[in-house]
Amino acid sequence: VSTQSNGTITTAKMVHREVQAQVDNLRQDATVFLQDLLRADSLAGNETKAQEIMSAHLTSLGFKVDMWAPSGTDLASNPNFYSPRTTFDNSPNVVGILSGSGGGRSLLLNGHIDVVPVGDLKTWDRDPFSGDFDGVRVHGRGASDMKGGLVAQLLAIQAIQKAGLRLKGDVIFECVIEEESGGAGTLAAIMRGYKADAALIAEPSEMKIFPQQQGSMWFKIQVKGKAAHGGTRYQGVSAIEKAFKVVTAVQQLETERNVAFKELPLFRNTPIPVPINLGKISGGEWPSSVPDLVILEGRMGVAPTEDMETAKQQMRDKLASLALEDDWFVSHPIDIQFFGARWLPGATELDDPLLQILQKSYESCLGSAPSVEASPWGTDGGALSNLAGVPSIVFGPGETKLAHQSNESIDMNDVIRCAVVTASAILEWCGYESN
């Protein structure tokens, strides 16, 4: 929007204020929409109902909708594919295309519909799929991660339309499956050809702006021992005792890797910028036997600008170095495998034009400067940045501490605030005209 005269500036401010007013006017509609999405259980393999609700809502806003079940065969041909399943018959992706009038930049709005399991129902105060609204918060699995974010993005579009405006640039809205399991849904959308000049992802960033996203990958370490009777344990070698050394080495590697990362501007408020988490351990078969095998499984974080293979090699080298201090590991080398889910890291430059617009929109709409950091977890932004060449930024409502927890919920005031900022940024990025 041109700001060559005071009159034009005033007009632009009035437009933004009108859109903000429309966001607030649509609060009740947005609350009901979020409740509907939360009441549609969208655990992996059961996303159809929620996606049908999403498809109908997109159609009502004038989007051209593409709803399809990704092909497991096609996905398996891509080296970046991972999923614990190979068929997606009851798990459609939904993409909506809102064509602009022309002359503006295109924007991709991305989010996922899949949610993680609810865990022990006894730890929930409500039905996990109740969608209850208590006057402030909407409750249910996926409220923060990340159906609230999806609602905020579409509320922004709806408010722009209600204000009598048409965007010049195209908007592509992706509501994908499988983000929680490795990102196959966004990968399928990339393979289908969807891309834009930039992307916003409404993961639960607590209204912080994440232009960079940590990557991660799972690993499995096998530590060998020598079996013996517990009464003569000195005749064996305990894999559990050897595993203690491996755990210490992994912890040392985490410390060594993060010395440099802590100096990066976006990690200054993060205690451990790129963690290595040991999440599972198993070993031994009998209390009176010396265990001959221990298996450790975990998650290795990858810095936004780091290469996945470089991180893998650092882990391999660290484990191999144990042979220098313990001869047992010379004849019984530690086996390390990287398996299962992985999320590519992503880094958008700090002078990126969408980032600049989003920061200004935040300050203009909310009256304070936003926190700009790197995400502490992986998102589909890494795939969009690296595989589709789409600079991606995470900005959404919701609280990370509530994601994947019992009694998950979201404050509707945060959904509204996110929608206001998002709408302002969309107007500036895509351009607009009176409809």
Side-chain angles (χ1 to χ4, degrees):
V1 179
S2 173
T3 56
Q4 293 179 352
S5 68
N6 289 334
T8 303
I9 294 173
T10 301
T11 301
K13 287 183 177 179
M14 291 175 62
V15 166
H16 283 258
R17 287 172 183 166
E18 173 61 21
V19 171
Q20 292 178 32
Q22 291 298 337
V23 169
D24 200 55
N25 291 340
L26 292 164
R27 176 188 291 260
Q28 183 174 353
D29 290 348
T31 302
V32 172
F33 179 39
L34 178 54
Q35 289 180 287
D36 289 343
L37 288 176
L38 292 174
R39 288 166 180 157
D41 167 1
S42 55
L43 292 165
N46 192 44
E47 297 95 336
T48 296
K49 182 178 179 181
Q51 292 291 56
E52 287 174 344
I53 293 171
M54 182 61 72
S55 176
H57 190 74
L58 287 169
T59 299
S60 73
L61 297 180
F63 284 81
K64 179 181 178 181
V65 177
D66 181 12
M67 183 170 174
W68 82 100
S71 165
T73 301
D74 291 346
L75 283 167
S77 68
N78 191 301
N80 295 287
F81 169 69
Y82 169 77
S83 175
R85 52 192 176 130
T86 57
T87 58
F88 303 93
D89 294 339
N90 197 35
S91 302
N93 265 349
V94 170
V95 173
I97 303 95
L98 187 66
S99 297
S101 60
R105 292 172 289 196
S106 60
L107 183 65
L108 193 153
L109 303 175
N110 174 280
H112 63 88
I113 199 68
D114 57 310
V115 299
V116 298
V118 300
D120 184 359
L121 289 174
K122 294 179 181 178
T123 64
W124 287 78
D125 296 335
R126 294 175 167 85
D127 178 345
F129 300 105
S130 69
D132 287 347
F133 179 50
D134 64 14
V136 177
R137 305 186 72 89
V138 184
H139 298 260
R141 172 58 85 225
S144 273
D145 187 15
M146 57 165 287
K147 294 179 180 180
L150 292 168
V151 170
Q153 288 183 330
L154 288 180
L155 175 56
I157 295 295
Q158 189 174 7
I160 290 170
Q161 294 176 336
K162 287 287 187 180
L165 305 172
R166 183 179 181 185
L167 297 172
K168 293 183 177 181
D170 298 342
V171 173
I172 300 171
F173 180 84
E174 293 183 346
C175 185
V176 301
I177 61 170
E178 287 291 290
E179 190 277 339
E180 298 288 4
S181 300
T186 290
L187 178 61
I190 292 171
M191 293 173 66
R192 205 166 175 90
Y194 291 113
K195 60 187 303 183
D197 293 324
L200 280 178
I201 304 171
E203 290 276 11
S205 71
E206 302 175 14
M207 299 287 287
K208 298 175 182 177
I209 298 174
F210 296 156
Q212 298 182 0
Q213 298 108 54
Q214 181 187 142
S216 65
M217 50 191 165
W218 292 353
F219 62 85
K220 180 187 296 184
I221 299 172
Q222 295 191 48
V223 184
K224 304 176 185 69
K226 179 183 177 183
H229 192 286
T232 54
R233 73 179 188 87
Y234 45 82
Q235 295 177 347
V237 177
S238 171
I240 290 177
E241 293 178 11
K242 296 301 181 184
F244 292 160
K245 295 186 176 184
V246 173
V247 170
T248 298
V250 170
Q251 292 171 334
Q252 289 173 347
L253 177 62
E254 179 187 70
T255 300
E256 293 164 3
R257 281 170 50 77
N258 279 281
V259 168
F261 298 144
K262 284 183 178 179
E263 300 303 316
L264 298 176
L266 300 190
F267 281 121
R268 284 176 183 162
N269 296 323
T270 306
I272 306 175
V274 184
I276 303 176
N277 179 66
L278 289 167
K280 183 178 177 181
I281 182 170
S282 59
E285 296 180 334
W286 192 251
S288 291
S289 296
V290 175
D292 61 358
L293 181 66
V294 166
I295 297 175
L296 303 164
E297 295 183 21
R299 170 199 182 275
M300 184 177 192
V302 183
T305 57
E306 188 177 21
D307 179 78
M308 300 279 274
E309 290 303 318
T310 299
K312 287 181 181 179
Q313 192 58 47
Q314 288 183 0
M315 175 71 86
R316 295 188 187 104
D317 292 344
K318 186 65 177 180
L319 295 178
S321 71
L322 286 173
L324 299 176
E325 59 186 68
D326 188 332
D327 290 342
W328 176 258
F329 293 121
V330 175
S331 55
H332 301 81
I334 300 163
D335 180 66
I336 170 76
Q337 299 175 12
F338 293 91
F339 76 103
R342 56 188 176 273
W343 290 263
L344 293 172
T348 295
E349 298 296 332
L350 298 185
D351 61 354
D352 179 82
L354 179 59
L355 176 59
Q356 302 302 312
I357 285 174
L358 188 59
Q359 289 178 275
K360 290 177 182 177
S361 293
Y362 186 106
E363 189 162 358
S364 173
C365 294
L366 303 183
S368 61
S371 295
V372 180
E373 301 178 6
S375 77
W377 21 252
T379 76
D380 282 345
L384 289 169
S385 297
N386 291 290
L387 305 181
V390 179
S392 303
I393 299 171
V394 174
F395 174 69
E399 301 170 72
T400 301
K401 66 181 181 181
L402 295 179
H404 300 200
Q405 303 295 316
S406 56
N407 296 318
E408 184 177 353
S409 64
I410 193 168
D411 189 329
M412 276 305 298
N413 293 312
D414 289 340
V415 174
I416 297 301
R417 291 167 66 237
C418 180
V420 166
V421 175
T422 300
S424 176
I426 290 173
L427 289 173
E428 292 301 314
W429 178 260
C430 294
Y432 61 87
E433 60 188 20
S434 297
N435 191 12

